[in-house]
Amino acid sequence: MAPNDPVAEGYAALETGEWERARGCFQAALVEQEQVGEESAETFEGMGRALWWLKETHASIRYRERAYTHFRRQGDALKAARIALWLSREYRDALGNYAASNGWFMRSERLLRDVASCPESGWLELARSERASDPAVAEVHATKALRVAAEFRDADLEIRALAQLGLAQVRLGKVEEAMSHFDEAMASATGGEANTPE
């Protein structure tokens, strides 16, 4: 970490669950960046994450939307797609705004349409599973997400995909199989394999 780098300090605070400290670091970075006229996608994203943990949902969404815009302008379709997936989930689950949720989901699909297999394509499969009304379809997409997680050694995706696969299988009546996936997800999460607190 570079000395007096509030963005790096903010991300370090996020990793250790110091949400207020993270917010303060990102706020300091935003002030510095405004003074020199250089906005940063990473700063907006970090502030959005900190505010999400502090339960400031609307503000969190606004900052993540700004991060999305900056990643798109930089030509970073993968980071933009991942944020679009997060925004889709938040608009649906936190705000109940299904039109906005669908719009963000479609943005992520379009951004990843011609991209080779990558961790983001696994997160897209996970989102498809979460959105599926048919548990059999949800199971198929969660299984695909799990395969991508293994291919790219993405522990966060693996944990989420295992849990989502378990949910789909409970709905299908495959309770014993589902419980084994929940148990594995819990062991991985509490065993320290995850890279982010989320």
Side-chain angles (χ1 to χ4, degrees):
M1 183 187 307
N4 301 319
D5 182 349
V7 175
E9 289 177 21
Y11 276 100
L14 286 176
E15 288 178 18
T16 56
E18 299 173 83
W19 319 128
E20 287 287 359
R21 180 171 164 256
R23 184 211 323 240
C25 290
F26 291 121
Q27 186 61 52
L30 287 168
V31 169
E32 286 181 13
Q33 291 168 9
E34 186 176 342
Q35 289 172 349
V36 296
E38 294 179 6
E39 295 183 329
S40 158
E42 288 77 13
T43 307
F44 288 130
E45 183 180 11
M47 179 63 97
R49 285 181 60 195
L51 292 173
W52 182 82
W53 280 107
L54 292 167
K55 302 188 184 326
E56 296 184 30
T57 305
H58 289 88
S60 173
I61 287 172
R62 285 195 304 274
Y63 278 103
R64 295 299 287 269
E65 286 174 338
R66 291 179 76 179
Y68 167 86
T69 300
H70 280 276
F71 282 130
R72 287 287 285 141
R73 287 178 183 159
Q74 293 168 14
D76 194 333
L78 298 183
K79 286 183 181 175
R82 194 175 286 208
I83 289 179
L85 288 169
W86 182 90
L87 288 166
S88 174
R89 186 177 296 110
E90 283 300 295
Y91 270 109
R92 181 189 69 222
D93 296 345
L95 303 183
N97 185 335
Y98 292 93
S101 175
N102 290 337
W104 282 109
F105 181 76
M106 296 303 294
R107 290 305 300 145
S108 66
E109 279 196 321
R110 186 175 300 280
L111 288 168
L112 296 173
R113 182 172 293 157
D114 299 319
V115 174
S117 182
C118 59
E120 287 74 16
S121 60
W123 288 97
L124 178 60
E125 290 296 338
L126 179 67
R128 286 176 174 146
S129 178
E130 293 170 344
R131 295 168 66 86
S133 57
D134 182 339
V137 173
E139 182 183 35
V140 168
H141 288 298
T143 301
K144 288 180 181 178
L146 194 54
R147 284 194 203 114
V148 174
E151 179 183 355
F152 292 97
R153 297 181 181 159
D154 187 327
D156 294 338
L157 176 59
E158 181 182 24
I159 292 166
R160 292 280 301 276
L162 282 166
Q164 180 60 28
L165 181 57
L167 286 172
Q169 290 173 335
V170 164
R171 292 170 60 201
L172 289 167
K174 301 177 182 179
V175 178
E176 188 173 338
E177 194 175 348
M179 289 302 114
S180 70
H181 288 117
F182 286 134
D183 291 344
E184 186 181 354
M186 185 61 69
S188 180
T190 58
E193 290 185 44
N195 295 306
T196 62
E198 290 89 348

